Amino acid sequence: MKETTYAECCDSVRDKKLSTVEEAVASAVGLCSTISETEDVALPEAAGRVSFGDTISLFSLPIHEHSAVDGFALGGSGRRPFRIVGRLIAGDSVKGGRIGENEAVRIMTGAPTPSGTKAVVMQEHATVSDGAVTPTFDVPEGDNIRRAGEDVKANDILVRGGTRFDARHTALLTASGYQRVCVVRKVRVAVLSTGNELRDTGVGMGPGHIFDTNRPMLKTLLASNAVETTDLGIIRDDRDLIAQTLKEAARDHDMIVTSGGVSVGEEDHLKSAVVQAGGAIENWRMAIKPGKPVALGRIGKAVYLGLPGNPLACFVDFLLLGRPILEELCGAMRRDPLVQHARAAFSWKRRPGRQEFFPCNIVGSTEEGLPLLEKTGRAGSARLMPLIEADGLGVVGPKCAEVAPGSPLRFYPFRADMGL
Ligand code: AMP
Ligand code: MG
């Protein structure tokens, strides 16, 4: 990481040098050291946690060969009668039993196939009379038999290190006999809001006050099994107080997220407070709208993310930068953001220069099946209502001066794992 002094930060403001989102994400990720401490967690509770190291299969799946249907295990082929010599249901053991070429066993789904089984015929495709079963067609060899190991072989990697556990991993690992898994310890994140005007709901408001919206919003965005959030409350616009709070938070957190005070106003103290707390600011102006003023840096071992105060800008910047930081800290294999191609259903003239994110909803689809997007409400980084009505964020590139119906757009759909 290239550390920058506060004076140099001021110079870069004068330069009006803006970074692209990609540069900011790369720089944010570069600030993180992956957590190496681990925990053993029982499987259902591991959902949302990130696996540490690969998990290897101890035996094959299926563990034994068995029937895929209710029917008859046949010892040979052909549309001829097979003498029924036994009955097997799920949970039975074949106990070394073997069927001959002219024999069959009545068998249920999941029951082990006796050795000598050439195929299983579904009961719907067979007739039974005089203690013998006759298939109604030539049953191909191997039909309806699930072979041992056809899904997983012993020593296969079941789940790679860096995987975020979900119901699929719980299923595969439980089938493979695992009760507990090794995961990266929770990421410790401290959240605070700055601003003299902010009050917590329930505390009451005076003239000039507003309710602190960002802290509860960020806590909701951070609500994950893999994150432990510390709420540091609202801090007044007081550089010494902010610096002291940041310094203390840096001792036992992996990440500090603040909102407000990262612009260039007289009461915007965050960047200088980070430096006062012994930290450094790396990158703090992105060529995006909303959310241009953003501070990235480190205080001790903690990554620092300073988000803008306007709630929509705060929300967008957290999605763009906060998520990759969290994934990097817990060693999660990076997932490409689920960006979709889309088309505009609206007209819009804009000033080029910055990439722009705007809440929008899907109002239809094109002939090729791409989503058609309409902007929700009027844009503005302080507005929240358009977010509520939106299905996701539409994006146009920095050079875009005009959007017409049918123009290509990118679209970040809101997903459940965004806390949305
Ligand atoms: P700032 O980034 O501190 O200059 O704040 C920009 C705007 O966002 C101002 O109108 C603030 O009052 C507002 N704002 C700052 N922090 C919050 C917050 N936590 N919740 C709601 N609005 C905020
Ligand atoms: Mg402020």
Side-chain angles (χ1 to χ4, degrees):
M1 161 192 169
K2 178 186 161 290
E3 297 206 344
T4 322
T5 63
Y6 180 58
E8 283 169 336
C9 287
C10 295
D11 285 337
S12 72
V13 178
R14 281 182 215 113
D15 288 341
K16 294 251 186 324
K17 189 179 169 297
L18 304 186
S19 62
T20 63
V21 174
E22 290 71 23
E23 284 165 352
V25 170
S27 126
V29 164
L31 293 166
C32 305
S33 345
T34 300
I35 297 167
S36 54
E37 293 147 73
T38 62
E39 262 165 29
D40 254 15
V41 179
L43 256 178
E45 285 86 65
R49 306 293 297 270
V50 172
S51 69
F52 187 87
D54 298 343
T55 311
I56 307 292
S57 78
L58 306 172
F59 49 80
S60 40
L61 287 180
I63 192 162
H64 54 74
E65 187 178 295
H66 65 272
S67 174
V69 294
D70 292 328
F72 297 87
L74 307 175
S77 54
R79 288 171 64 173
R80 59 190 176 86
F82 294 83
R83 194 162 56 86
I84 301 169
V85 296
R87 181 174 182 272
L88 285 165
I89 62 174
D92 280 351
S93 148
V94 283
K95 296 188 209 99
R98 180 179 177 84
I99 48 172
E101 218 185 309
N102 299 318
E103 291 175 338
V105 162
R106 176 80 174 115
I107 196 163
M108 304 302 154
T109 308
T113 43
S115 75
T117 302
K118 294 286 186 306
V120 176
V121 61
M122 279 173 80
Q123 60 195 24
E124 293 87 337
H125 299 150
T127 53
V128 177
S129 68
D130 297 335
V133 57
T134 305
T136 56
F137 68 102
D138 258 337
V139 185
E141 196 163 324
D143 220 19
N144 298 318
I145 297 176
R146 292 194 186 129
R147 305 281 183 197
E150 71 179 20
D151 193 8
V152 171
K153 307 262 181 306
N155 296 318
D156 277 356
I157 295 176
L158 296 171
V159 176
R160 290 191 185 278
T163 302
R164 200 177 288 281
F165 285 111
D166 62 34
R168 296 167 300 154
H169 310 104
T170 305
L172 179 63
L173 292 174
T174 305
S176 302
Y178 282 92
Q179 263 188 310
R180 306 180 73 80
V181 284
C182 182
V183 298
V184 178
R185 75 140 163 81
K186 293 190 185 206
V187 184
R188 298 177 190 135
V189 185
V191 186
L192 62 92
S193 293
T194 64
N196 288 358
E197 73 279 33
L198 305 178
R199 291 293 179 273
D200 277 326
T201 49
V203 173
M205 262 203 307
H209 297 159
I210 58 169
F211 286 126
D212 175 4
T213 309
N214 294 338
R215 207 166 95 254
M217 174 181 77
L218 289 167
K219 283 164 72 178
T220 312
L221 285 164
L222 285 161
S224 138
N225 214 1
V227 176
E228 203 175 274
T229 305
T230 311
D231 184 346
L232 296 179
I234 300 167
I235 314 289
R236 293 181 61 76
D237 289 316
D238 173 328
R239 182 169 119 178
D240 291 343
L241 190 57
I242 297 170
Q244 186 57 31
T245 310
L246 293 175
K247 196 170 176 180
E248 277 168 28
R251 288 200 194 110
D252 46 9
H253 291 92
D254 306 299
M255 181 180 184
I256 303 171
V257 184
T258 67
S259 80
V262 287
S263 201
V264 287
E266 282 167 18
E267 291 300 331
D268 290 329
H269 301 297
L270 265 295
K271 292 182 296 283
S272 52
V274 168
V275 175
Q276 191 175 321
I281 296 285
E282 165 148 310
N283 184 327
W284 52 283
R285 279 161 72 87
M286 282 196 297
I288 70 162
K289 214 177 153 190
K292 177 172 70 170
V294 61
L296 278 170
R298 259 189 100 107
I299 310 169
K301 287 190 182 149
V303 182
Y304 170 70
L305 174 62
L307 299 166
N310 277 313
L312 177 60
C314 182
F315 175 85
V316 169
D317 280 355
F318 181 83
L319 292 186
L320 293 177
L321 298 174
R323 298 259 150 200
I325 291 174
L326 285 171
E327 298 204 332
E328 191 69 20
L329 284 172
C330 60
M333 283 186 285
R334 297 290 301 285
R335 288 178 301 187
D336 288 330
L338 283 183
V339 180
Q340 295 181 0
H341 291 282
R343 294 263 189 268
F346 56 92
S347 307
W348 182 31
K349 282 203 167 59
R350 69 183 286 276
R351 193 151 49 113
R354 291 195 255 160
Q355 197 175 22
E356 186 156 351
F357 292 75
F358 43 88
C360 53
N361 55 16
I362 302 173
V363 292
S365 65
T366 64
E367 272 175 23
E368 314 86 70
L370 295 178
L372 268 176
L373 304 182
E374 187 70 73
K375 287 168 81 176
T376 55
R378 275 183 54 206
S381 57
R383 290 173 201 264
L384 286 173
M385 208 55 198
L387 262 191
I388 302 298
E389 294 158 3
D391 295 318
L393 298 173
V395 195
V396 289
K399 290 188 183 135
C400 171
E402 187 170 358
V403 176
S407 293
L409 298 173
R410 282 192 293 158
F411 179 53
Y412 288 82
F414 293 152
R415 307 196 312 261
D417 68 346
M418 286 177 170
L420 296 168

